[in-house]
Amino acid sequence: MSAPADRPAADDATAMKLTVIGCSGSFPGPDSPASCYLVEAPFDGRVYRLLVDLGSGALGNLQRLVDLRDIDAIALSHLHADHCFDMSGLYVVSRYHPDGTFPAIPVLSPEGAGPFLGRAYGSDDGDGITDQFDFRDWVDGESVRLGPFTVTSRLVVHPVAAYALRIETPSASIVYSGDTGPAEQLVDLAVGADLFLCEASFVESGTNPPALHLTGAEAGDYATRAGVGRLLVTHIPAWTDRAEVEADVKTTWDGPFELVSAGSTYVV
Ligand SMILES: [Zn+2]
Ligand SMILES: [Zn+2]
C-alpha cells in the first residue's frame, strides 16, 4: 500500500517516505531541478535521510526540506550531470559551513566517482573532495546496508555505468530505475515493489536512440510484469509533452500511477 501523504505513519516504525526534490529529465526545467529524491525512514530514534541522486539545481530545493547537515548518506545512480553535478555545491556547504565542517558522508556510486566529481569541482589532483565524501563503489547485484535501508544495485543499460536501485525496509520497498534503456534486469529488481520510480524520457512516437532511455509504454510494461503496487513516472525532459507520456503509460499499465513533480511526497 502507498499513498501521497505528508509524513510516515506514526504507527509504522518502518514506514518509508519518498520526496521528489527534482525530476526533470536530462537537464533542469522551468518547473523542476534535475534528478534528486529524498528517502526517509525512522532509525535509532530519529529519521534517517538517504539522498538518491543530486542533479543540477537540486541542492537549492533540497534546503527547503532538510538541513543539509542531516543527510546521512547519498546514493548516485550514475555520473551524468543531471544526476550528480550538485555534489560540487554540497561539497562547498559541507567543507566551509560557518557552523563547522560536516562529518564525511558515505556516497555509494559507480567506480571512479571520487576523481570524476573532484575534477568537476575543479580540484587539481582529481581527488580533492574525498575529505567530505566517503566514496564506495556499487557492486552489481549486491546489497549494502545504510541505516534502516537495504539497498540493492543492478547495472542497467546506459552510455555510462548506471545502476537501478532497490531500497527496502522490512515492510516497504522502492525501486528506482535511474537512467536506462530497455533492461530486463530492471524488471527482476522491481518485482513486488511498493513504489516503482521509473524513468520515461522518450515517447513512443519519437525516433529513439537505442540503449539510452525508456518510453512510458516500456515503464508501464515493466511495472505490469514486475507486479508493482504503484508506478511513479519520472525523468521527463522539459521539451517533452507530458500528456503523451501519460498516454503511452496507459497502453501497458492499468494500475495506479502518476507523473511525479518536484515537491511530491509518497509514504509506503
Ligand atoms: Zn538523466
Ligand atoms: Zn544519464
Side-chain angles (χ1 to χ4, degrees), residues 78 80 82-83 158 179 213 235:
H78 66 299
H80 276 157
D82 61 313
H83 295 257
H158 207 50
D179 282 7
H213 289 297
H235 202 277

Side-chain angles (χ1 to χ4, degrees), residues 51-118:
L51 204 57
V52 179
D53 284 342
L54 186 52
S56 319
L59 193 66
N61 260 12
L62 182 60
Q63 290 168 78
R64 297 181 185 178
L65 293 163
V66 296
D67 184 331
L68 297 177
R69 194 181 290 270
D70 292 338
I71 295 167
D72 291 286
I74 298 172
L76 298 178
S77 65
H78 66 299
L79 299 179
H80 276 157
D82 61 313
H83 295 257
C84 68
F85 265 17
D86 270 16
M87 290 289 286
S88 290
L90 182 59
Y91 175 77
V92 173
V93 176
S94 63
R95 176 70 180 82
Y96 299 108
H97 197 287
D99 293 343
T101 299
F102 296 6
I105 306 170
V107 180
L108 277 294
S109 47
E111 186 178 2
F116 177 84
L117 291 170

Side-chain angles (χ1 to χ4, degrees), residues 57 66 76 105 114-115 123 151 174 176 258 261 264 267:
V66 296
L76 298 178
I105 306 170
S123 67
V151 183
I174 298 172
Y176 170 50
E258 63 187 86
S261 302
S264 296
V267 172

